[in-house]
Amino acid sequence: MTTKLFGEPVRRREDARLITGQGRYLDDLGAGALAAAFVRSPHAHARIVDIDVSAALDVEGLVAIYTWEDLPGALAEPLPLLIPHPALTHGRTAYPLAREIVRHVGEPVVMVVARDRYLAEDACALIRVDYEILKPVVGVEEAVRGVHLVHEDVPGNVGAHLVQEVPGPAGQTAWEAIDAAPHRLEFRLDVERSASMPLEGKGVYARWDADDESLRVYSSTQTSTSVRMAIAAKLGLPLPKVEVIAPDVGGGFGVKIMHPWPEEVLVPWAARQLNHEVKWTEDRREHFVSSSHERGQVQHVRVGFDDDGRVLGLEVEILHDHGAYTPYGIIVPIITSTQLLGPYKVGAYRVEFSSVYTNTVQVTPYRGAGRPQGVFCMERTMDKIAAYLGKDRTEVRAANFIQPDEFPYDQGLTFQDGRPLIYDSGDYPEALRMLKELIGWDSFPEEKARAAAEGRRIGIGVGCYVEGTGVGPYEGGHVQITSDGRVHVSTGLTSQGQGHETVFAQIAATELGVPIEKVSVVTGDTRRFGYAVGTFASRAAVMSGNAIALACRKVREKALRIAAEALEADPRDLEITDGMVHVSGVPSASIPLATVAVLSNPLRYAFDEEARRATQFAGPASDDRPPVAEGEEPGLEGRDYYSPIRSTFAAGMHAAIVETDPDTAEIKILRYAVVHDCGRLINPMIVEGQIHGGVAQGVGGALYEKMVYDEHGQLLNASFMDFLMPYATEVPRVETAHLETPSPLNPLGIKGAGEAGVIPVSAVVASAIEDAEGIPIDRMPISPSDLHALRQAR
Amino acid sequence: MKPPPFHYHGPVTLGEALDVLAEAGPGGKVLAGGQSLIPLLNMRLAAPSHIVDVNRVPGLDGIEAGPSGVRVGALARHAAVERSPEAAAAQPLLRQALRLVAHPVIRNRGTVVGSLVHADPSAEMPAVLALLGGSVRLASRTGEREVPAAEFFTGPMESALRPGELAVSAFFPALPARSGTAFHEVARRHGDYAVAGVAAAVALDEDFRIAAARVACVSVGPVPVVVDVTGECGPRPAASVDWEAVAHAVRDRIEPEGDIHATADYRRHLTGVLAVRALLDAACAARGEES
Ligand SMILES: Cc1cc2nc3c(=O)[nH]c(=O)nc-3n(C[C@H](O)[C@H](O)[C@H](O)COP(=O)(O)OP(=O)(O)OC[C@H]3O[C@@H](n4cnc5c(N)ncnc54)[C@H](O)[C@@H]3O)c2cc1C
């Protein structure tokens, strides 16, 4: 059957457009727009004494200069705190343009609008801002000392403090369980900062229609619906007068779920003020210093375990670097502290985090969103237990696994969606078995000995994770079949290149029984779908995928009802194949969906041949009931929503073989293997692509990427020359195997896949380097220079 | 990331280029491949008032290889020199080094001479010129001068080029018979500037003992650091050299600094390792063997 596409490796339909330069990105739009640029703070912490714009006024082509003083109403208030939480007792957000105090290098102070970006930057260079320098706070440990404060009214720089505890089987606290355990270990781990770093930075382009008093905004965002609401609120516009569209977006990876960015409200406001299109395209330097970072944590771990390596009690204390503001709440450390547990039962657990302010760029979720740190913590713990007991590292893990017959498994914690952390399904022992086979775990010792005989050092590493995916609250889908037989699917969440056009079309084609070529998909356009949350947390397939399937089922049911009448058959005897509704087993008794669409919409006017069939004198319609029956709607369309009770939990296990050069300390990943379980696969090729991309970012986090702040709060590597993202040459070939344990929570049985690849990579690479070198690896990323220093210190 | 305003000049003869440069004086900058200059402009780290684009000047893209060496014109791209069989035959170190310079797309535009004038202490070509004792030919409205490598590199990103001058070519001398060269480096990522790197040249005597051995080290000083290790290596066959002592000698002569990518200590260690690797390879090549 040509229309059974769910589960097939269908080629990505968006690729032809995206890889041949036909994409329509933010900066491809608005050729006639004025350009905005920003004067940003050169200091990490300072008081603005004076802003002198006089020299800039002579720049030819200058249109406007705005400071905080110019902002009216809600725009002059701090930006929203998007995700409040009771533990976030001292949440703070920035003003769109700095008011009095700047708290990190890169904070916007003055907005300039000019004829083009060159002139706007010329004007920026001529604006003089006098600052009184204040003491900057850099690094979490400096922050908790609380000697200097990022926000005067936040004592100790602590924005949030949260403890979660799960008692052991006999009700003992983690502390008691650890104390009573036969063996104990205690250690510290460090994870550096990194960032989403999409190839396309942020960008906003706004058009104000003065006659209609309406606004159209294009933004390179992961959530157009929510940006729309934010703009309406900040500018005091009625919601129906604002439309927001996410055009092709060149990567998001989390940073573009943050919103509204200052520019997302300032650019539309300026467009209205000036009654002229305005556009701002972020450049790379701006992206480094004025968007978001992630990862940075210090963790103190105490663990107690038995002779088999079974964890009896675990205590983790996390210092989380939140940067200067907390607009996205404390989602990242919450995810770290809950997802840290991975596929394991740890007896009694206590996790405590302090989320602290520093005079650095704010921290909001980046692909993995706190999980890479948590998994690093748990997996380093597993390796340390194995080393302590002299056991195989996979054996220790297996001893702690939740077993397949224990699902649903309640970890006893509260997850990022405010709901209980209950794993829906999984098969961890099988995943580990598959992984060991894929990488050749059991024969590695011989391989290692052979290499050693040649003077080469190699090591193998492993890491496991569980990922809560598809968080609510909801997504919706709208499906319309038009009288030409085409199927128009829309959903409100956005795309950043993941392949949504393909997988959503696969789902619709499968549900409706139509050729995939007939299906078109629109995402992230509030003109088409106004209710949505956004693309993040590996949720698009789970949320919109299921919503679209449910919407399709409504449409299908209606189509069968109408077709049954036309064919004088029972709807239960009908099926749809290749766009034709027919009586099962009787292909000749059929009617095209296109015709069903015509019949579904009683017409007065015939605008083409097809439409004649639906007009008032054309048909046999009975005259004892209204043309549109009660409870019916005209048209062959359906809308439905999917709102899950809680997240669904995907899982995976990775292994790597690395080689370290005994002389130069260079580190090379020789092999990288992934076993991945995201429930039922809609498109295995797209899932693999997601894994490859995630692993590439994970390799960045493990071996290359860090944000190097000096003690003054200056970011020393704010360019692609010094912030080292791996090239294709640094990313290993990824070998994958899939396990499918369907989710019982949603109609399609799927789990999210978007973030998976990145999550365990630092843990896996650390494990492998440790195996090669015999030196504990407790801090990531690790460079050849770092490895050399560790060797020297041995 | 847009450049500050500047006047653009596109001279079409050498004379015109030199006239424009003379008039521009200290405010003038030559634009060759643009792979280093344009990023500097876009980040507003440089603000020359006049950009003199020499890409339309004919006759500057020559690569002349002969028994005495290779003369590379100002507009000869990295890629063209890398691919020239004549240049590789006359001075194999050019190709060995150029393969380590950036990525193919950058080598397609970047020029060898531009790289010399740019004088980045992490760049490969200045080390090659320094190791071989080559020179750069500078032209101005008042005449030409040939500056030897030892005087050309004056500091990090600083060369002997004066305002009003155009570097028209560079000369890379050939080596005597029974000589060999090699270039080894460690970069954080493929094609990045080296954390440390070493170019080596070795000459053997008739009995295949090392008669002369020199290295030039990158990223470990303000300019390429040339170290003569003939004393430590010769006159002995490569197999009986005390290579640890050679590494030690090289480490002693360099002045690495730490930065965000590597500590000074690591750079020092690494340069010793790479020096030995490069010298061994160069000695192999001098014997006419593959390394
Ligand atoms: C991503 C990236 C990676 C790189 N990696 C490396 C690397 O690993 N190793 C390496 O060596 N280089 C590297 N480079 C630099 C590259 O090799 C440059 O091309 C080179 O340094 C300069 O050559 P150019 O022709 O582009 O010079 P331009 O950028 O045009 O000019 C550079 C400077 O030299 C001056 N100049 C150029 N030509 C002349 C002349 N004929 N007379 C007088 N002044 C002149 C200019 O005025 C300017 O000051 C890299 C560049 C990039 C963008």
Side-chain angles (χ1 to χ4, degrees):
Chain A
M1 219 194 287
T2 54
T3 48
K4 178 82 186 71
L5 289 161
F6 191 103
E8 294 300 312
V10 175
R11 280 182 173 251
R12 289 162 43 104
R13 344 166 82 193
E14 41 275 87
D15 280 352
R17 182 176 89 249
L18 296 179
I19 65 182
T20 58
Q22 307 301 305
R24 207 162 148 266
Y25 297 94
L26 196 280
D27 203 35
D28 296 326
L29 313 173
L34 299 172
F38 291 83
V39 176
R40 297 179 184 276
S41 171
H43 304 296
H45 198 189
R47 186 181 308 281
I48 299 169
V49 179
D50 184 45
I51 300 176
D52 179 2
V53 303
S54 51
L57 299 177
D58 295 336
V59 171
E60 191 233 310
L62 175 75
V63 177
I65 298 178
Y66 302 111
T67 67
W68 178 82
E69 309 265 341
D70 300 307
L71 304 180
L75 212 50
E77 291 163 16
L79 291 163
L81 200 166
L82 292 173
I83 309 183
H85 187 287
L88 180 57
T89 49
H90 295 77
R92 296 290 179 274
T93 60
Y95 292 89
L97 292 171
R99 176 188 184 182
E100 225 176 306
I101 308 266
V102 287
R103 293 190 178 82
H104 65 88
V105 170
E107 192 162 348
V109 179
V110 184
M111 180 190 193
V112 172
V113 182
R115 205 172 55 225
D116 62 42
R117 177 69 184 241
Y118 292 82
L119 299 170
E121 288 192 23
D122 289 347
C124 284
L126 294 170
I127 291 172
R128 280 211 31 207
V129 184
D130 279 341
Y131 295 96
E132 176 198 333
I133 311 258
L134 305 173
K135 276 281 180 199
V137 178
V138 183
V140 279
E141 281 153 312
E142 169 70 20
V144 284
R145 269 192 284 280
V147 181
H148 303 292
L149 298 179
V150 176
H151 299 272
E152 256 176 24
D153 54 352
V154 180
N157 292 310
V158 176
H161 179 249
L162 184 64
V163 180
Q164 291 209 59
E165 285 192 82
V166 187
Q172 66 279 58
T173 65
W175 193 83
E176 288 162 353
I178 295 167
D179 251 29
H183 312 287
R184 282 178 292 277
L185 286 170
E186 189 171 346
F187 48 93
R188 169 198 165 125
L189 301 169
D190 285 80
V191 182
E192 261 291 349
R193 269 192 182 208
S194 186
S196 303
M197 219 37 84
L199 273 193
E200 184 201 24
K202 295 175 284 157
V204 191
Y205 161 49
R207 290 170 17 187
W208 172 251
D209 182 332
D211 299 323
D212 190 47
E213 299 204 315
S214 68
L215 186 66
R216 177 180 300 177
V217 178
Y218 295 83
S219 181
S220 186
T221 180
Q222 290 174 235
T223 174
S224 51
T225 41
S226 199
V227 168
R228 177 192 188 207
M229 289 192 262
I231 291 172
K234 283 288 180 189
L235 269 54
L237 289 168
L239 195 62
K241 290 290 189 185
V242 181
E243 41 196 46
V244 176
I245 300 151
D248 280 325
V249 172
F253 309 112
V255 66
K256 295 176 185 174
I257 192 62
M258 232 323 284
H259 68 281
W261 290 99
E263 301 85 358
E264 275 173 329
V265 291
L266 292 171
V267 169
W269 172 72
R272 186 173 66 171
Q273 281 301 100
L274 301 169
N275 195 13
H276 198 292
E277 298 170 45
V278 180
K279 180 167 78 169
W280 168 74
T281 308
E282 184 180 57
D283 69 32
R284 189 55 54 183
R285 161 124 190 121
E286 289 184 291
H287 190 77
F288 269 102
V289 299
S290 58
S291 57
S292 290
H293 300 164
E294 216 237 84
R295 305 290 193 246
Q297 283 183 358
V298 176
Q299 304 163 341
H300 291 275
V301 185
R302 279 185 73 227
V303 62
F305 49 97
D306 66 15
D307 295 342
D308 297 327
R310 203 168 295 126
V311 177
L312 303 173
L314 177 67
E315 246 181 34
V316 183
E317 244 181 82
I318 300 167
L319 275 180
H320 176 78
D321 183 351
H322 234 134
Y325 301 105
T326 46
Y328 211 79
I330 47 175
I331 288 298
V332 174
I334 288 179
I335 294 179
T336 303
S337 35
T338 49
Q339 297 260 272
L340 190 147
L341 296 178
Y344 310 114
K345 301 181 273 191
V346 300
Y349 178 52
R350 180 180 193 279
V351 61
E352 168 175 8
F353 71 77
S354 293
S355 195
V356 299
Y357 288 106
T358 57
N359 288 111
T360 60
V361 171
Q362 69 191 18
V363 162
T364 67
Y366 155 37
R367 195 179 201 173
R371 293 178 190 86
Q373 301 93 307
V375 169
F376 185 67
C377 178
M378 193 73 229
E379 294 301 304
R380 294 283 67 216
T381 304
M382 288 292 159
D383 280 0
K384 283 173 193 294
I385 292 172
Y388 180 88
L389 296 173
K391 282 190 171 298
D392 182 289
R393 288 166 287 167
T394 57
E395 244 175 70
V396 170
R397 286 169 170 83
N400 288 286
F401 277 159
I402 296 162
Q403 296 302 310
D405 59 5
E406 293 179 282
F407 291 96
Y409 187 85
D410 188 348
Q411 285 281 24
L413 296 164
T414 302
F415 192 42
Q416 64 149 323
D417 49 5
R419 291 171 177 249
L421 185 74
I422 300 175
Y423 296 178
D424 51 338
S425 64
D427 188 346
Y428 309 141
E430 174 61 9
L432 184 62
R433 191 198 60 74
M434 288 168 69
L435 181 72
K436 286 172 72 172
E437 191 178 302
L438 186 60
I439 194 84
W441 182 270
D442 290 329
S443 59
F444 183 75
E446 289 107 77
E447 202 178 324
K448 187 174 179 176
R450 266 197 308 278
E454 296 165 13
R456 294 170 54 221
R457 257 182 230 180
I458 60 174
I460 194 167
V462 62
C464 312
Y465 68 91
V466 168
E467 184 200 355
T469 69
V471 298
Y474 73 86
E475 286 298 334
H478 178 254
V479 177
Q480 181 182 21
I481 302 179
T482 43
S483 55
D484 52 5
R486 285 193 241 231
V487 180
H488 308 272
V489 175
S490 66
T491 183
L493 60 61
T494 59
S495 297
Q496 300 85 44
Q498 293 91 336
H500 296 156
E501 281 175 48
T502 306
V503 292
F504 294 158
Q506 280 179 264
I507 291 172
T510 305
E511 292 288 338
L512 292 172
V514 298
I516 194 165
E517 297 74 32
K518 294 274 184 207
V519 184
S520 64
V521 175
V522 169
T523 60
D525 185 339
T526 65
R527 295 171 300 180
R528 290 287 300 275
F529 207 100
Y531 288 94
V533 184
T535 297
F536 60 96
S538 305
R539 70 193 292 282
V542 179
M543 303 302 300
S544 283
N546 278 294
I548 289 166
L550 293 171
C552 285
R553 288 173 194 181
K554 279 192 174 171
V555 174
R556 180 187 154 90
E557 197 194 305
K558 181 167 186 181
L560 295 187
R561 223 163 45 231
I562 296 168
E565 213 161 299
L567 294 170
E568 295 178 1
D570 186 330
R572 281 167 303 188
D573 295 338
L574 296 181
E575 57 187 68
I576 315 177
T577 313
D578 263 340
M580 299 289 282
V581 189
H582 60 90
V583 179
S584 304
V586 193
S588 57
S590 69
I591 176 172
L593 269 177
T595 307
V596 178
V598 172
L599 298 178
S600 73
N601 182 20
L603 291 172
R604 184 162 180 86
Y605 310 114
F607 46 84
D608 65 9
E609 268 311 305
E610 270 294 293
R612 293 171 67 125
R613 313 170 63 146
T615 49
Q616 49 274 49
F617 303 110
S622 74
D623 41 18
D624 54 7
R625 64 170 203 221
V628 177
E630 208 174 312
E632 285 283 4
E633 286 174 9
L636 197 47
E637 61 179 317
R639 179 189 303 268
D640 210 340
Y641 294 86
Y642 173 64
S643 180
I645 179 92
R646 56 183 168 264
S647 299
T648 170
F649 289 81
M653 303 189 184
H654 295 194
I657 297 177
V658 305
E659 174 160 5
T660 56
D661 187 302
D663 300 315
T664 64
E666 285 166 286
I667 302 161
K668 190 171 162 48
I669 300 174
L670 301 178
R671 280 187 64 202
Y672 202 93
V674 173
V675 171
H676 185 252
D677 183 355
C678 60
R680 286 184 69 203
L681 294 165
I682 307 169
N683 182 327
M685 186 160 63
I686 284 182
V687 169
E688 273 173 40
Q690 288 294 311
I691 292 171
H692 294 177
V695 169
Q697 286 180 308
V699 168
L703 297 177
Y704 300 101
E705 297 170 6
K706 52 184 176 178
M707 292 290 173
V708 187
Y709 277 100
D710 70 9
E711 72 271 26
H712 308 293
Q714 294 291 340
L715 183 58
L716 301 181
N717 60 339
S719 83
F720 276 164
M721 188 159 167
D722 286 317
F723 178 80
L724 309 177
M725 288 170 77
Y727 301 130
T729 39
E730 280 65 49
V731 178
R733 206 175 77 79
V734 179
E735 304 161 50
T736 31
H738 299 288
L739 177 65
E740 291 187 64
T741 54
S743 170
L745 297 183
N746 63 68
L748 298 176
I750 56 184
K751 303 177 176 183
E755 295 168 280
V758 78
I759 295 172
V761 185
S762 273
V764 172
V765 173
S767 176
I769 295 174
E770 190 168 289
D771 185 45
E773 292 281 326
I775 304 174
I777 306 295
D778 293 339
R779 171 188 282 267
M780 291 302 257
I782 179 167
S783 70
S785 182
D786 297 331
L787 179 57
H788 174 72
L790 289 175
R791 285 176 179 173
Q792 298 298 107
R794 170 154 51 183
Chain B
M1 295 244 248
K2 302 288 184 216
F6 55 79
H7 295 283
Y8 174 87
H9 306 272
V12 291
T13 66
L14 182 58
E16 195 192 337
L18 296 180
D19 283 347
V20 177
L21 278 169
E23 271 156 43
K29 271 274 174 207
V30 172
L31 174 70
Q35 299 301 295
S36 297
L37 182 58
I38 299 292
L40 286 176
L41 292 176
N42 284 349
M43 291 193 266
R44 295 193 179 222
L45 293 172
S49 40
H50 296 270
I51 294 285
V52 185
D53 178 353
V54 296
N55 284 277
R56 287 184 206 81
V57 176
L60 287 182
D61 59 352
I63 303 170
E64 297 157 29
S68 62
V70 184
R71 183 164 288 281
V72 176
L75 287 179
R77 313 287 163 179
H78 291 314
V81 180
E82 180 192 355
R83 289 188 202 128
S84 158
E86 294 80 19
Q91 183 41 272
L93 185 56
L94 288 172
R95 182 178 284 175
Q96 290 162 350
L98 282 166
R99 284 189 173 151
L100 301 171
V101 173
H103 314 275
V105 284
I106 289 157
R107 297 204 288 270
N108 284 342
R109 288 211 62 82
T111 62
V112 168
V113 172
S115 181
L116 297 173
V117 176
H118 192 57
D120 189 321
S122 302
E124 289 81 2
M125 298 321 284
V128 169
L129 195 82
L131 181 77
L132 299 173
S135 58
V136 182
R137 185 173 293 169
L138 305 174
S140 70
R141 203 154 60 174
T142 56
E144 278 192 355
R145 59 189 184 118
E146 188 89 23
V147 182
E151 289 161 34
F152 187 71
F153 304 110
T154 54
M157 327 296 275
E158 280 171 28
S159 76
L161 184 94
R162 295 181 194 135
E165 281 183 323
L166 175 71
V168 284
S169 66
F171 182 68
F172 297 89
L175 290 170
R178 282 190 306 278
S179 293
T181 57
F183 205 124
H184 276 254
E185 72 175 36
V186 168
R188 285 305 315 278
R189 298 171 301 183
H190 180 82
D192 279 357
Y193 279 106
V195 170
V198 177
V202 169
L204 304 179
D205 64 16
E206 282 166 0
D207 300 323
F208 290 98
R209 292 176 309 187
I210 295 177
R214 271 195 331 275
V215 294
C217 311
V218 307
S219 298
V220 289
V223 296
V225 184
V226 178
V227 185
D228 193 313
V229 287
T230 308
E232 285 77 7
C233 293
R236 273 181 295 268
S240 44
V241 169
D242 177 357
W243 289 110
E244 221 8 78
V246 175
H248 194 79
V250 173
R251 287 181 185 129
D252 256 7
R253 287 283 305 281
I254 55 177
E255 293 163 18
E257 284 177 15
D259 64 16
I260 63 173
H261 301 303
T263 61
D265 179 55
Y266 174 63
R267 282 209 164 87
R268 190 181 296 283
H269 164 81
L270 189 58
T271 303
V273 172
L274 295 173
V276 173
R277 288 184 183 179
L279 285 162
L280 279 167
D281 273 4
C284 262
R287 285 196 301 272
E289 296 163 7
E290 295 277 320
S291 55

